Amino acid sequence: MLTPFFALLCDNAPIYQGSRNSMCSVRTRIWQDVDHDRCGVVPHLMDPDFGFARYAENVLTKPQITAWRTGRVKAVGSKTAPELYAAHLSQREAAQILSNFFYDVRLKSRIELRAADSMPPRYIAAYAQLVKSVFGSPAALQNVLRHYAGITTLDITTAKLAVCKDGFNALAYGKPISSELTWLLMQARSRTPSQEERALLDPFMALVMKRKTIRETENYNE
């Protein structure tokens, strides 16, 4: 649910295809259309029974593209995992399956959030603190779930596309994205115990106040 917000806060692609870029969240645009079977929002993410088993079902029944075979990775076209592997998967085979999927949030040896772009150090610190503060606090997570109760996977995709089209003028889940980002950052600040750590969030708050992305505020040379 937070991917559209992370994508906008971390939007930092000043050059695209050799020219100055004026499009919003171009990284999100690209990944949205790479491979609909294996990218974007995780299927069934907001279903009541979603969990590790449903995630496993998703990755096992979609095209694998590559597989671990005789000690190396080989191209296998659109075959699924059941067509390629025996009933028991080795750890290396399971790792290969998981690595073939590029959902906005994906499971590997860890849970990987993939919305962020490469950024200057102070914004990397802000992003790390935001993730730490929100995901490290059960209370903050419950507030997020209550705030966006009833959101569907289609709503998440729609919010991402709105960010790609309109940036800080977008509506996310029916509300102005600037106000939602302010709310999210205040959730993070309220769950951050030290003044030093709270200050790490200031670069993101400045972006929201200016309604400008990193790409628009940094002095990049051509």
Side-chain angles (χ1 to χ4, degrees):
M1 291 189 291
L2 299 181
T3 292
F5 305 132
F6 293 160
L8 182 57
L9 287 173
C10 302
D11 177 8
N12 187 38
I15 304 297
Y16 178 56
Q17 294 186 338
S19 302
R20 176 66 70 178
N21 174 45
S22 61
M23 295 189 297
C24 300
S25 299
V26 69
R27 182 184 187 281
T28 301
R29 289 174 185 262
I30 292 169
W31 277 107
Q32 184 67 24
D33 295 321
V34 168
D35 184 333
H36 291 291
D37 278 330
R38 299 179 302 123
C39 297
V41 181
V42 178
H44 312 294
L45 176 66
M46 305 308 294
D47 292 359
D49 64 344
F50 182 82
F52 287 112
R54 289 300 295 274
Y55 190 94
E57 181 182 343
N58 288 334
V59 301
L60 291 172
T61 57
K62 295 292 193 300
Q64 293 298 303
I65 311 301
T66 64
W68 183 252
R69 280 285 181 265
T70 61
R72 65 190 183 95
V73 176
K74 293 185 177 181
V76 293
S78 60
K79 291 182 179 179
T80 64
E83 294 174 310
L84 294 166
Y85 298 105
H88 175 75
L89 289 172
S90 70
Q91 185 173 347
R92 183 63 184 81
E93 290 167 340
Q96 180 63 31
I97 290 171
L98 292 172
S99 72
N100 280 330
F101 291 81
F102 300 90
Y103 296 129
D104 296 338
V105 180
R106 67 170 175 170
L107 180 66
K108 294 180 71 179
S109 58
R110 60 198 177 277
I111 295 176
E112 180 184 3
L113 310 180
R114 301 189 61 256
D117 206 338
S118 176
M119 299 173 281
R122 68 183 182 280
Y123 294 107
I124 294 173
Y127 178 68
Q129 187 61 53
L130 176 59
V131 170
K132 176 183 174 182
S133 297
V134 172
F135 287 89
S137 167
L141 288 175
Q142 287 303 313
N143 284 344
V144 169
L145 291 173
R146 281 194 294 268
H147 192 65
Y148 298 115
I151 294 300
T152 67
T153 53
L154 178 59
D155 294 328
I156 298 171
T157 299
T158 300
K160 285 171 53 185
L161 294 175
V163 165
C164 292
K165 179 177 180 290
D166 297 320
F168 276 102
N169 294 316
L171 293 179
Y173 310 130
K175 302 174 184 178
I177 198 163
S178 292
S179 63
E180 295 307 289
L181 283 170
T182 300
W183 180 86
L184 180 62
L185 289 167
M186 292 307 297
Q187 289 294 312
R189 287 181 64 87
S190 68
R191 309 298 171 184
T192 305
S194 75
Q195 183 176 350
E196 181 180 6
E197 288 181 310
R198 287 195 296 274
L200 294 175
L201 296 166
D202 288 348
F204 276 169
M205 189 62 78
L207 294 178
V208 176
M209 295 297 292
K210 295 175 185 176
R211 296 170 61 87
K212 290 184 178 294
T213 63
I214 301 171
R215 166 180 55 83
E216 295 169 310
T217 56
E218 291 297 294
N219 184 25
Y220 290 112
N221 293 321
E222 289 283 356

